[in-house]
Amino acid sequence: MKAFRGEPSIFASARPEDRRAELEIRDLTLRFGGITALNKINLSVRTGELVAIIGPNGAGKTSLLNSITGYYKPQEGQIFFNGKEITRMPPHHLTNLGIGRTYQNIELFPGMTVLANMLLARHIHCNYGVPKAAIFSKSVREEEVRHRRVLEELIDFLEMQSIRKHLVGSLPYGMRKRVELGRALALEPKLLILDEPFAGMTLEEKEDMVRFLMELNEAWNQTMILVEHDMSIVMSISQRIAVLDFGVKIAEGTPDFIQNHPQVIKAYLGDTHKL
């Protein structure tokens, strides 16, 4: 990642133990009334991996993400993050543990600037209370400098210098997707979960987003889970792919293995053509 004002990158300089992101999902089952959204899902993600989860509409992809991030409470099974069970933890506790997320439907404040939206995500790293903030003590000022440096580094990395003070609601959809990624990265997540980050983007915007994600994964060793419908992107950037169909994991492996897997081809196309 690019360093801010010639200084070493805050993110790339993090200790390896601070970047550890080991996720383990065991026999996860989620039901809504008589509908089984997820049926005994097993999946592991290792530190530094970029793992994609794919499947037809209604396959259970977002349900799985919502279970990992605490929005849904599975009836059976367990989820572990860095050895700690997180199966039924609330979302804000999971954020504190280092799980960040972007959303299929952009979750930003349109009436606030890009910088302000990203700054809100830094609240989990604030180590001062109201009394110190009220008098703007020296320790508060020093901490604020660090938060601003993190944000400016992210803005530089995501090439958003020209829009940093623009209202989010005034930006094109693809650029708002980029701000959404910046907000998630401002949390300094160990595990970054991306829910259809390329949806609604132009080809040029997709190319930029691919470049950002590849650099994050390769240079920063950012661990990521990606849900995406654009198969050309999934096959080109994922190290491993898990395929869901009607709430069941039907395949898992490398992109080459997945795109030639008969069950995956049938789930998508209903015949013997390749993906």
Side-chain angles (χ1 to χ4, degrees), residues 179-191:
V179 178
E180 173 92 340
L181 175 61
R183 177 202 55 78
L185 290 173
L187 297 168
E188 297 185 43
K190 298 173 182 178
L191 172 63

Side-chain angles (χ1 to χ4, degrees), residues 97-125:
L97 286 178
I99 298 178
R101 178 179 178 176
T102 66
Y103 295 85
Q104 183 177 349
N105 298 314
I106 298 172
E107 299 289 340
L108 296 170
F109 294 97
M112 297 174 66
T113 66
V114 170
L115 186 60
N117 268 275
M118 293 174 64
L119 187 59
L120 284 173
R122 296 296 301 170
H123 75 281
I124 67 167
H125 297 290

Side-chain angles (χ1 to χ4, degrees), residues 239-275:
Q239 296 156 8
R240 190 156 48 88
I241 301 170
V243 187
L244 302 184
D245 190 27
F246 293 107
V248 177
K249 188 178 79 172
I250 61 172
E252 181 181 344
T254 64
D256 285 342
F257 174 78
I258 292 299
Q259 64 186 345
N260 292 288
H261 194 288
Q263 217 173 339
V264 176
I265 295 169
K266 182 179 179 181
Y268 271 95
L269 302 176
D271 56 27
T272 56
H273 292 89
K274 287 187 177 181
L275 287 175

Side-chain angles (χ1 to χ4, degrees), residues 155-166:
I155 286 170
D156 283 352
F157 170 69
L158 294 172
E159 299 172 3
M160 301 191 299
Q161 301 93 331
S162 63
I163 62 163
R164 59 197 301 279
K165 294 185 179 180
H166 289 203

Side-chain angles (χ1 to χ4, degrees), residues 23-271:
L23 184 74
E24 190 77 31
I25 299 171
R26 301 177 186 170
D27 292 325
L28 201 70
T29 298
L30 176 71
R31 302 185 188 92
F32 298 104
I35 304 297
T36 300
L38 299 171
N39 190 6
K40 294 189 178 299
I41 300 296
N42 289 280
L43 181 68
S44 63
V45 178
R46 299 294 170 237
T47 302
E49 279 193 306
L50 198 169
V51 176
I53 300 171
I54 66 171
N57 288 331
K61 303 181 297 297
T62 298
S63 290
L64 182 56
L65 296 193
N66 286 341
S67 297
I68 296 170
T69 52
Y71 292 100
Y72 291 166
K73 310 299 179 187
Q75 286 80 15
E76 298 172 22
Q78 295 172 297
I79 306 172
F80 294 88
F81 184 62
N82 288 339
K84 183 182 182 69
E85 185 173 2
I86 62 169
T87 314
R88 292 167 184 83
M89 279 190 181
H92 64 282
H93 286 178
L94 297 174
T95 302
N96 287 329
L97 286 178
I99 298 178
R101 178 179 178 176
T102 66
Y103 295 85
Q104 183 177 349
N105 298 314
I106 298 172
E107 299 289 340
L108 296 170
F109 294 97
M112 297 174 66
T113 66
V114 170
L115 186 60
N117 268 275
M118 293 174 64
L119 187 59
L120 284 173
R122 296 296 301 170
H123 75 281
I124 67 167
H125 297 290
C126 290
N127 297 311
Y128 54 81
V130 174
K132 284 189 176 181
I135 63 173
F136 205 51
S137 66
K138 180 181 178 182
S139 62
V140 171
R141 292 196 300 273
E142 290 173 347
E143 192 171 328
E144 285 292 306
V145 167
R146 181 184 182 278
H147 292 319
R148 289 300 180 119
R149 184 185 164 213
V150 169
L151 296 183
E152 293 297 345
E153 182 175 331
L154 285 171
I155 286 170
D156 283 352
F157 170 69
L158 294 172
E159 299 172 3
M160 301 191 299
Q161 301 93 331
S162 63
I163 62 163
R164 59 197 301 279
K165 294 185 179 180
H166 289 203
L167 295 180
V168 166
S170 70
L171 300 174
Y173 186 80
M175 189 59 73
R176 277 182 273 168
K177 282 276 192 176
R178 194 180 299 192
V179 178
E180 173 92 340
L181 175 61
R183 177 202 55 78
L185 290 173
L187 297 168
E188 297 185 43
K190 298 173 182 178
L191 172 63
L192 178 60
I193 295 177
L194 303 158
D195 192 358
E196 298 194 27
F198 299 93
M201 284 187 165
T202 65
L203 179 60
E204 184 178 358
E205 289 167 340
K206 287 182 178 182
E207 289 173 349
D208 286 337
M209 185 66 80
V210 165
R211 178 164 49 87
F212 297 140
L213 296 184
M214 291 299 291
E215 188 169 347
L216 284 169
N217 182 243
E218 294 172 1
W220 187 12
N221 200 37
Q222 176 68 61
T223 309
M224 289 182 263
I225 296 176
L226 168 70
V227 165
E228 179 55 46
H229 283 289
D230 190 322
M231 288 298 103
S232 62
I233 291 175
V234 169
M235 295 298 168
S236 65
I237 71 174
S238 303
Q239 296 156 8
R240 190 156 48 88
I241 301 170
V243 187
L244 302 184
D245 190 27
F246 293 107
V248 177
K249 188 178 79 172
I250 61 172
E252 181 181 344
T254 64
D256 285 342
F257 174 78
I258 292 299
Q259 64 186 345
N260 292 288
H261 194 288
Q263 217 173 339
V264 176
I265 295 169
K266 182 179 179 181
Y268 271 95
L269 302 176
D271 56 27

